[in-house]
Every structure is written in structure tokens, then in C-alpha cells.
Amino acid sequence: SAVISQKPSRDICQRGTSLTIQCQVDSQVTMMFWYRQQPGQSLTLIATANQGSEATYESGFVIDKFPISRPNLTFSTLTVSNMSPEDSSIYLCSVEEDPGNTIYFGEGSWLTVV
Amino acid sequence: KQEVTQIPAALSVPEGENLVLNCSFTDSAIYNLQWFRQDPGKGLTSLLLIQSSQREQTSGRLNASLDKSSGRSTLYIAASQPGDSATYLCAVGGGGSNYKLTFGKGTLLTVNP
């Protein structure tokens, strides 16, 4: 199974600033995804990170707020821009080695915006 | 739009008891269904993956079943232990070229010694 490392694991951020979360996988994977888990809620898909092209965003999420990069098959970043307290969440990177197979998650990045 | 519901929202049982967690989904056109475990402050750990053509999967004390036509899955945990205490999440994988997962809100399980 893929091993996923996320950085930072936790951070406290000031309102109005931006933070970039990194996701590193120990093997090349086809699909990489970014999820958000707000306090007391389940996971919501933000976007699919596409290698070499723009990410595919889900309804309610836009590139200006959540720019995503995926320069290769093992690495992706998610930036949370112009943060507000409503952005306080766990942000999780996930990967799918082959379409339709098991999806693996990183440990998550816990962001608190003050 | 796919919707996933998990019942119960929370469950507390004594150690050693067998238990069942339920998951239902509204759109039966799924590729697969996956059960995850989430410990407090941690990411998700995959427990079992059931492809849409399968009826069940087993791993140790865990057994997951899938009835795609009725839009239901169950996760059976045998001889529960305090270490099983966690939130259990059900997620269904969509059809077509979109393999994204739709998650339920989870069942918070507490196994008391």
C-alpha cells in the first residue's frame, strides 16, 4: 500500500494569510485527491490533482481559494488562500494507485485559523 | 447526487460483543464501497474495499457486505475490543470515469473494557 506523508501536520494561522500543504507519496500513483474535514463533519472532496494540468474542482471549491499543484506522480500541494476561521479544518491528501482500487489517506493537516 | 447515510451515529458496547454498523447510499451505480477507520487526531485507515461485483469482504474480525441493488452495506465486527474504539466511515466510489468517494458522517464506536 502507498505511504503518504503530509506537511505540516498542524498549524495555527492568522486570518488573511495563506498556507501550503504538501503531500508526498512513496510510489507513483495515478490519482491524487484533496479532501476537507470540517469539525464534526465527514470528508468532502475539494479537487482531483491532475499531473501536468489544472486540478478538477468540485462544486463549491474554486482555484483562487484552493490552488493545487501536481508536478509529478508522487507529489502535490494544496494552498488555502486568504484564510478565515471557517477554513479551520483537517485537510487530507489521498491517493488511488489504480482506478477503482483502494484509496489511501495521509495523516491529515490540522489547520486552525485565528 | 450520491448521498451516504450511516446508522447509528454513535454506539457504545461492552468488550467482547459482536456488532454491526450500517451504511446506505442513494445511487446504486457505484464502482466500489470502502470502509475506513479514523482515530482521534489521525487520518483514515482503509479497512475493507468491496468492488461492485462482490458481495462481501473479510479481514480478520471484520466482515463487510454489500447489497448494491438495495443500496446497503454492513460492517460486522466480531468479538469487539477496546482498541476497536474509533470512528468508522463508509465511502462509496462513483461510476463512469469519476472514481471519487462520497463519505458518510461515520459511526463513533466506543468499546468499554
Side-chain angles (χ1 to χ4, degrees):
Chain A
S1 63
V3 177
I4 305 166
S5 301
Q6 273 188 244
K7 293 181 184 179
S9 57
R10 290 179 182 270
D11 209 339
I12 299 174
C13 308
Q14 295 296 318
R15 186 191 304 243
T17 63
S18 299
L19 182 77
T20 296
I21 303 167
Q22 299 180 1
C23 177
Q24 179 73 54
V25 191
D26 68 342
S27 59
Q28 293 187 343
V29 293
T30 306
M31 308 290 286
M32 293 183 78
F33 307 93
W34 286 97
Y35 284 84
R36 180 175 74 180
Q37 187 176 28
Q38 294 178 301
Q41 302 296 314
S42 191
L43 281 76
T44 301
L45 180 64
I46 297 172
T48 302
N50 301 309
Q51 194 264 327
S53 64
E54 191 171 287
T56 304
Y57 289 85
E58 297 300 308
S59 176
F61 298 96
V62 295
I63 189 172
D64 289 346
K65 176 67 176 177
F66 298 101
I68 289 170
S69 77
R70 189 174 175 194
N72 56 52
L73 293 177
T74 65
F75 185 78
S76 178
T77 67
L78 168 74
T79 299
V80 186
S81 302
N82 188 25
M83 287 185 282
S84 67
E86 292 72 34
D87 295 319
S88 298
S89 294
I90 307 170
Y91 293 86
L92 296 121
C93 170
S94 72
V95 304
E96 189 173 25
E97 292 176 309
D98 294 301
N101 287 324
T102 301
I103 291 185
Y104 300 97
F105 281 81
E107 289 288 302
S109 298
W110 293 62
L111 302 189
T112 301
V113 184
V114 297
Chain B
K1 176 186 173 185
Q2 180 74 270
E3 294 183 1
V4 180
T5 302
Q6 290 188 246
I7 295 173
L11 181 64
S12 181
V13 300
E15 182 176 2
E17 191 162 299
N18 302 324
L19 58 99
V20 174
L21 308 181
N22 297 292
C23 172
S24 62
F25 46 94
T26 54
D27 186 349
S28 62
I30 65 170
Y31 265 73
N32 55 38
L33 184 145
Q34 199 163 345
W35 282 93
F36 294 90
R37 167 184 173 142
Q38 186 174 30
D39 293 286
K42 299 288 187 181
L44 276 68
T45 301
S46 177
L47 297 173
L48 290 164
L49 169 71
I50 311 177
Q51 300 290 356
S52 62
S53 59
Q54 298 174 325
R55 299 279 299 181
E56 66 176 346
Q57 284 287 330
T58 298
S59 176
R61 295 183 292 108
L62 304 180
N63 175 275
S65 67
L66 174 62
D67 184 342
K68 193 175 140 182
S69 61
S70 69
R72 294 180 182 181
S73 176
T74 61
L75 178 67
Y76 175 82
I77 302 177
S80 58
Q81 303 170 357
D84 294 331
S85 298
T87 297
Y88 290 81
L89 294 162
C90 167
V92 297
S97 62
N98 186 346
Y99 292 99
K100 70 176 183 180
L101 295 180
T102 302
F103 281 83
K105 290 188 176 181
T107 295
L108 175 60
L109 173 65
T110 303
V111 181
N112 301 301

